[in-house]
Amino acid sequence: MRDFIITVNSTVDLPKEWLQERNVPVIPLKYTIDGETYTDMEGLDAKVFFAKLRDGKMATTSQINPEEAREYLEPFLKEGKDILHIGFSSGLSGTYNSMRIAAEELKEEYPDATIYIIDSLCACLGEGLLLYYALKQKESGKNIDEVAQWIEENKLHICHNVTVDDLNHLHRGGRISKAAAVVGTVVQIKPIIHMDNNGCLQVVGKERGRKKALNKIVDMAAEQISEWENEIAMITHGDCIEDAEYVAKRVREKLGIQEVLINNIGTVIGSHTGPGVVAVFVMGNQR
């Protein structure tokens, strides 16, 4: 049986060291801010990046094209390895489609290879949580077909519970409608967002005040996990570590999940959420 490798996009937003320790290759997206273009995970420090956004700088992002996707994937095929790629949600980026096109071309040249390009319908540490469990499946001895099947069967059980300071960054990036963004302009009204089954962001509520919004995303997660055993929860934040730590404390108390991974949101996704985003990711009954 051929060995296989699991690859991800940089939008997985896990710490670089975490990914390197587990030998997970990252296929990065890029972003441009203040006239300079950077590679996600290798560019600006989070504090520097979010300081620029707070100063009014605009960041734009670019998807991976098929040529770049092929350049990243082909070396593994040359090594005789099969590939299982967990891709950034097609509801937010054309990157998945570029990865798929590249894979179709490579399958013609490497007919003995198995290549799975999976649309995770997830973003940020939602992708990260899916990767976490996929790696455990591989470590338990599952082959590439079995791991791919597990991901397809479980990806819609990855719950994304998000609050942002306002919705203007998401609107400017085309991730939500103008009508939805109006909520984000009301002082002290904090939007509550989730990822729907199409891999798109949807505003599902609002809370008056930051603390209520942070509590709400934990309450949502608590409802979602009623029939699931979660050995880990993941929390991302946009340069607001104190809020993330508060949410982690609430997760341990209310959900009973003691292992919590906290990481800054990546610069590509952070370009659209802006500073101040906090999100909780768990496996649950439904999104």
Side-chain angles (χ1 to χ4, degrees):
M1 183 174 66
R2 287 165 57 108
D3 188 18
F4 72 96
I5 195 156
I6 300 176
T7 65
V8 293
N9 294 122
S10 59
T11 49
V12 75
D13 285 355
L14 284 160
K16 286 190 295 185
E17 298 76 16
W18 192 99
L19 294 162
Q20 290 166 355
E21 286 172 5
R22 291 157 179 82
N23 191 32
V24 178
V26 176
I27 304 173
L29 281 71
K30 292 184 172 62
Y31 63 98
T32 300
I33 188 169
D34 209 12
E36 297 288 336
T37 298
Y38 302 92
T39 299
D40 198 16
M41 285 192 172
E42 301 294 338
L44 295 173
D45 172 84
K47 283 200 169 295
V48 174
F49 174 76
F50 284 113
K52 286 179 177 288
L53 292 186
R54 289 187 175 105
D55 287 342
K57 303 292 185 182
M58 288 289 296
T60 58
T61 59
S62 57
Q63 66 188 47
I64 293 168
N65 63 46
E67 291 75 21
E68 290 171 324
R70 180 190 176 102
E71 180 182 337
Y72 278 99
L73 294 177
E74 189 168 16
F76 304 116
L77 300 176
K78 288 182 176 179
E79 293 173 4
K81 294 179 180 177
D82 293 331
I83 298 170
L84 193 166
H85 177 75
I86 303 174
F88 186 23
S89 172
S90 63
L92 297 177
S93 171
T95 291
Y96 162 74
N97 196 46
S98 294
M99 301 296 303
R100 181 187 58 78
I101 291 169
E104 288 177 357
E105 294 175 355
L106 288 167
K107 285 177 183 176
E108 294 182 2
E109 298 180 30
Y110 298 86
D112 295 333
T114 298
I115 308 174
Y116 283 103
I117 307 294
I118 296 177
D119 182 359
S120 72
L121 301 174
C122 295
C124 192
L125 288 178
E127 291 174 72
L129 193 59
L130 196 58
L131 171 65
Y132 173 88
Y133 285 111
L135 288 171
K136 290 186 74 70
Q137 292 288 313
K138 183 184 179 187
E139 290 165 7
S140 72
K142 299 290 178 62
N143 62 37
I144 189 170
D145 300 318
E146 292 168 324
V147 177
Q149 181 180 350
W150 185 93
I151 293 172
E152 290 288 3
E153 291 175 351
N154 288 277
K155 64 187 184 183
L156 293 182
H157 291 292
I158 303 291
C159 302
H160 304 53
N161 302 296
V162 188
T163 186
V164 295
D165 271 349
D166 66 65
L167 292 168
N168 291 316
H169 288 278
L170 286 165
H171 170 56
R172 285 194 292 263
R175 267 56 185 182
I176 61 168
S177 69
K178 183 176 181 180
V182 171
V183 175
T185 65
V186 182
V187 176
Q188 288 303 309
I189 297 297
K190 301 303 179 186
I192 305 298
I193 303 168
H194 85 149
M195 182 80 81
D196 67 18
N197 286 348
N198 295 314
C200 299
L201 296 173
Q202 299 291 342
V203 179
V204 293
K206 54 185 182 288
E207 295 290 330
R208 186 170 294 279
R210 177 72 161 177
K211 188 62 68 70
K212 287 184 178 179
L214 296 175
N215 288 333
K216 179 63 175 180
I217 60 175
V218 177
D219 293 343
M220 290 168 62
E223 293 178 7
Q224 292 159 343
I225 69 166
S226 61
E227 299 175 14
W228 286 77
E229 291 290 335
N230 276 266
E231 60 184 65
I232 188 172
M234 295 189 178
I235 297 171
T236 194
H237 66 97
D239 193 32
C240 50
I241 185 61
E242 295 84 2
D243 288 340
E245 289 174 343
Y246 170 78
V247 169
K249 181 174 181 291
R250 293 275 294 140
V251 164
R252 293 186 178 99
E253 292 172 350
K254 185 153 189 171
L255 279 66
I257 304 172
Q258 297 307 308
E259 184 174 354
V260 180
L261 184 151
I262 301 175
N263 198 40
N264 250 307
I265 199 164
T267 41
V268 163
I269 296 182
S271 296
H272 301 287
T273 64
V277 61
V278 179
V280 179
F281 304 87
V282 293
M283 288 200 74
N285 305 326
Q286 60 184 14
R287 293 184 169 185

